[in-house]
Amino acid sequence: MPSLSPPPRRIIVSHRLPLRSTPDPSSPFQFSFSLDPDSLPLQLSSSLPSPPLFVGTLPLPSPSSSLSDELSQHLLSTFSCLPVFLPSDLHHHFYHGFCKHYLWPLLHYLLPLSPSSHGGLPFESALYRSYLSANKLFADRITEILNPEEDFVWVHDYHLIALPTFLRKRFPCVKLGFFLHSPFPSSEIFRTIPVRDDLLRALLNSDMVGFHTFDYARHFLSSCSRLLGLGYQSKRGYIGLEYYGRNIIVKILPVGIDMGQLQSVVSSPETASKIRELKETYKDRVLIVGVDDVDIFKGIGLKFLAMEKLLEERPELQGRAILIQITNPARSQGKDIQEVRDETHSIRDRINTRFGQPGYQPVVVIENRPVPMYEKAAFYALAECCVMNAVRDGLNRIPYTYTLCRELSPALSDSSKKSVIVLSEFVGCSPSLSGAIRVNPWNIESVSGAMYTAISMSEVEKQLRHEKHYKYISTHDVAYWAQSFDQDLQRACQDHSVKKNCYGIGFGMSFRVVALGPGFNKLLVENVVSGYRKTCSRLVLLDYDGTMVPQSLIDKRPSEEVIQIVNRLCADPSNVVFVVSGRGKDDLAKWFEPCEKLGIAAEHGYYIRWNRDSQWETSACINTPLDFDWMKVVLPVMKQYTEATDGSHIEQKDSALVWHHQEADPDFGLCQAKELLDHLEKLLANEPVVVKRGHHIVEVTPQGISKGVVVETIISAMQDHNKAPDFVLCVGDDTSDEDMFEAVRNCANKPEIPKITEVFPCTVGNKPSMAKYYLDDTVDVLKMLRALADTGQPGPVSSQSYVSFDDPF
């Protein structure tokens, strides 16, 4: 029986390794190490298909170079941990500088309005370079052990946002997921970062990006739309971003609790002993508990003010209600941390002075020491209510832990298994706890009222809220989160097994990978020129906006260079050159007036002119006069949407009505376009028209009018004049140009048409298309056309009769 191959490895990358260190003079490293059960990377590892490999920094200064290899081998073999050694000064600038005092406050919506503000440090290029250097060292370490064909890499949190770019540059097909544990701010905040594009592109170099809440994901998608022009689609419950041929999945799921680890803590003798001690200490008291890190976003001072208001308005609680505030050690140091401490101490002392009694202090702060988990569990088990009052927070599982401690504690009777949570609406776990009393932490009276409601509500309601939370928390634990993320990451990387042509473009942090499906390649100028030289009847079809001129230009007139190139192509008697555009005939005729031999198809082919001196004709597919009464219905609807959408406008053509939203707010314009499309499709269901979306437009046109019909008409006319093309170049950028590509393909396969030996359907921009080739932008298009014009050699003279195309067909 053949042996089963082991599952692919998971490489978990985080700032810190899941290790604890204690001084040990007997060790050659002067420290002994053990796994940290409170570490999230370790908690999630047990539910993965195979034991993962951890990559991160050590919770102590880097050892000397002589010991680093030996220590690495020891940690790798003993704990599956591969340390990243950062020089102490680099780590300080990376972590305490850029991460904690620039990026972290900004992700929590706090701008560095001045160097002395609580927003932290202003942006400094030197600190950003340290951030990139640290991320590069992580990439170097991962490179040593990564099998890019098999392994999955899971990167955690804002410290390593740049890491996907470094990995993707080395391994274009690496299987890479990223989860952001902090909030992702609104695009107005994120766009203030000078290197915002770098960070966005780095996240998009992942295969999947995860967030706690839809709000954070929505802000990320909005930033991608506003900064990079990327849209997204929701398909079968998943949100996807198309980025240079790669599909990036956006995952939304908050992190849960390690049930097994917490159960062992709650059931331990230490916890039971601590509960007995606390019951005696706080006998007949009503305990309210809060556990927070010391930082400017946890709202500890606001919580204390709410407690003060509660005691003022509810005198019966004086002497009974106690707020136990456990403060975890600060993760960084600075003026902002000290100011938080000073503020909370000041408010605490004032409250205790006003309302304290012998043997009673209404606010008890436990600080200046790491509080072991068993002690926290004991306070959770005895507290009637947990208050989480942060003004902005991402990963915060304290309300989950509180609920589970109340449920799992053997020291509590079944009738005591009830709990109430007062929860800030700005915390990442808030959407998942629908039974909590949600509050605005800035509204002191509201928080105070919520605290009173929590401790005075009926026992039945407390139990119902508790059961609702426990049901969610117990079924959405850390194992569920890890398995869900891992399964979706595998799904996101399924395309890696499909052979695609992948190559990198861009320098530095602008690097990204272009992934091309089979048969879809970048159009090489030399290949087009080669085919051009050996053919004698050539057809060149060119879209206008986004193909010959950039979409972003305000002045849409063709440049002198475009006019010169077109004229040089038209001067070759072997060439038939057409501009096929959705624009109106008057603009196109005026702009290309210097091009005597250029053919123009305007309004997607409703009008056709074979050269400058010929008359405009209507499309060959129109046998009877069209009825345009539908315009009287559509125009008022479009005007209504235009009035409601700042930056939009209506373009009225002879055959079509177009609603443009390119200059509107990207998100609002897209929303309005979808609504308008749905509105018009229902309104015009029985009319002989087509309602379609294009690049920042919604357009209504008569049925049977398309750029594909234009292609068929021109090729048929050339065949009638014994000039059936043996070379076709067709270039466009919009959805309407897909009709051209399809028509070119169909004509090339028709048996009644002489074989077209050289066919080059080409879309502008790498995106899903019926075209076989692509070019990056209008610069590449003009470069290719210039090369054809410079060839200047007519194709070989054929035996078929030669007809001048100076006259109309």
Side-chain angles (χ1 to χ4, degrees), residues 352-640:
N352 288 341
T353 299
R354 288 183 63 188
F355 302 105
Q357 302 171 9
Y360 167 74
Q361 285 189 329
V363 177
V364 176
V365 178
I366 301 174
E367 59 182 347
N368 297 326
R369 64 180 175 90
V371 179
M373 188 59 208
Y374 75 84
E375 186 175 344
K376 293 178 183 177
F379 277 108
Y380 287 142
L382 295 180
E384 291 290 319
C385 158
C386 176
V387 181
M388 175 53 57
N389 204 50
V391 298
R392 185 73 61 183
D393 207 358
L395 173 61
N396 196 314
R397 300 184 291 171
I398 288 170
Y400 296 170
T401 304
Y402 165 69
T403 301
L404 290 177
C405 287
R406 293 285 286 180
E407 174 67 27
L408 301 176
S409 176
L412 300 180
S413 63
D414 290 342
S415 61
S416 299
K417 296 185 185 300
K418 50 187 179 292
S419 61
V420 187
I421 300 168
V422 176
L423 183 60
S424 165
E425 62 192 68
F426 303 116
V427 176
C429 64
S430 177
S432 62
L433 296 174
S434 56
I437 304 175
R438 296 193 180 101
V439 294
N440 173 3
W442 304 100
N443 188 334
I444 304 300
E445 292 184 356
S446 174
V447 178
S448 173
M451 292 167 69
Y452 179 73
T453 300
I455 60 180
S456 63
M457 70 172 54
S458 69
E459 300 301 305
V460 173
E461 185 175 356
K462 288 180 181 180
Q463 188 164 2
L464 288 174
R465 289 175 183 265
H466 171 82
E467 290 174 353
K468 188 174 187 179
H469 289 159
Y470 178 69
K471 181 179 180 180
Y472 173 84
I473 296 166
S474 60
T475 56
H476 291 73
D477 60 358
V478 71
Y480 175 87
W481 173 74
Q483 290 170 3
S484 178
F485 190 94
D486 187 72
Q487 290 168 5
D488 284 344
L489 180 58
Q490 292 180 59
R491 192 178 68 85
C493 297
Q494 283 178 349
D495 286 348
H496 291 208
S497 61
V498 178
K499 293 300 181 183
K500 287 189 174 184
N501 298 321
C502 296
Y503 68 93
I505 60 175
F507 298 97
M509 291 303 294
S510 67
F511 176 84
R512 61 268 191 202
V513 167
V514 174
L516 307 180
F520 187 53
N521 300 289
K522 187 166 185 177
L523 186 58
L524 301 179
V525 173
E526 53 267 31
N527 291 348
V528 184
V529 170
S530 175
Y532 184 87
R533 282 176 172 163
K534 62 187 180 185
T535 50
C536 62
S537 180
R538 313 184 191 103
L539 174 59
V540 179
L541 302 163
L542 302 170
D543 174 46
Y544 186 68
D545 292 277
T547 301
M548 301 178 75
V549 296
Q551 290 278 7
S552 58
L553 287 183
I554 296 177
D555 184 356
K556 296 294 187 179
R557 293 175 299 178
S559 65
E560 286 296 325
E561 180 185 21
V562 170
I563 297 296
Q564 290 174 7
I565 290 174
V566 168
N567 273 332
R568 289 164 63 192
L569 288 172
C570 292
D572 190 327
S574 298
N575 295 346
V576 174
V577 184
F578 260 82
V579 170
V580 186
S581 173
R583 283 192 171 273
K585 62 181 176 64
D586 294 336
D587 281 342
L588 292 173
K590 179 181 177 182
W591 291 345
F592 287 101
E593 198 274 337
C595 303
E596 179 183 353
K597 298 182 180 181
L598 175 69
I600 297 176
E603 299 188 19
H604 299 300
Y606 180 76
Y607 289 114
I608 297 178
R609 189 180 78 176
W610 306 99
N611 57 48
R612 187 181 64 186
D613 298 327
S614 64
Q615 298 298 313
W616 288 101
E617 303 171 6
T618 54
S619 174
C621 69
I622 302 174
N623 299 318
T624 59
L626 294 177
D627 181 3
F628 289 102
D629 284 347
W630 55 266
M631 285 191 175
K632 298 176 183 178
V633 178
V634 173
L635 191 58
V637 175
M638 286 190 171
K639 284 183 177 179
Q640 178 182 348

Side-chain angles (χ1 to χ4, degrees), residues 192-334:
T192 65
I193 301 176
V195 292
R196 58 198 190 178
D197 288 5
D198 289 359
L199 301 183
L200 269 188
R201 292 190 187 280
L203 290 174
L204 292 170
N205 276 325
S206 305
D207 293 294
M208 186 166 76
V209 184
F211 301 93
H212 289 296
T213 71
F214 174 70
D215 270 352
Y216 303 160
R218 177 169 55 87
H219 294 158
F220 169 70
L221 294 170
S222 179
S223 296
C224 289
S225 171
R226 293 171 184 275
L227 296 175
L228 303 179
L230 300 178
Y232 66 91
Q233 291 182 334
S234 182
K235 185 177 181 181
R236 296 181 181 178
Y238 291 93
I239 299 174
L241 276 164
E242 188 73 26
Y243 184 62
Y244 289 92
R246 297 172 51 247
N247 188 51
I248 294 92
I249 288 180
V250 176
K251 173 80 173 175
I252 303 168
L253 186 66
V255 181
I257 287 291
D258 186 336
M259 297 284 289
Q261 187 258 350
L262 187 60
Q263 176 73 70
S264 65
V265 171
V266 172
S267 304
S268 69
E270 294 88 351
T271 303
S273 174
K274 191 66 179 179
I275 288 176
R276 289 192 296 270
E277 176 189 333
L278 295 178
K279 278 185 175 180
E280 185 65 29
T281 302
Y282 297 106
K283 187 177 181 180
D284 299 327
R285 309 291 192 189
V286 177
L287 294 189
I288 302 171
V289 70
V291 179
D292 298 279
D293 294 344
V294 179
D295 66 55
I296 56 179
F297 297 108
K298 294 304 185 287
I300 300 173
L302 296 174
K303 187 190 303 183
F304 286 4
L305 292 175
M307 183 66 182
E308 183 177 35
K309 176 67 69 174
L310 177 66
L311 295 175
E312 285 178 355
E313 297 184 347
R314 303 289 176 177
E316 68 273 18
L317 293 177
Q318 296 176 17
R320 293 184 57 231
I322 298 178
L323 173 61
I324 305 292
Q325 177 62 51
I326 300 174
T327 57
N328 299 321
R331 301 188 186 185
S332 186
Q333 298 296 322

Side-chain angles (χ1 to χ4, degrees), residues 121-177:
L121 300 172
F123 179 83
E124 292 184 18
S125 297
L127 291 180
Y128 179 58
R129 287 194 294 272
S130 297
Y131 181 77
L132 296 183
S133 296
N135 276 252
K136 183 178 180 298
L137 288 176
F138 270 82
D140 293 341
R141 203 62 159 148
I142 296 169
T143 299
E144 297 175 14
I145 45 89
L146 178 65
N147 178 357
E149 300 295 327
E150 298 291 337
D151 298 340
F152 289 86
V153 181
W154 186 353
V155 182
H156 289 264
D157 220 3
Y158 66 97
H159 316 90
L160 301 172
I161 287 179
L163 180 57
T165 292
F166 289 107
L167 288 178
R168 187 70 63 186
K169 190 170 186 178
R170 302 178 190 194
F171 308 104
C173 293
V174 64
K175 300 172 182 178
L176 179 59

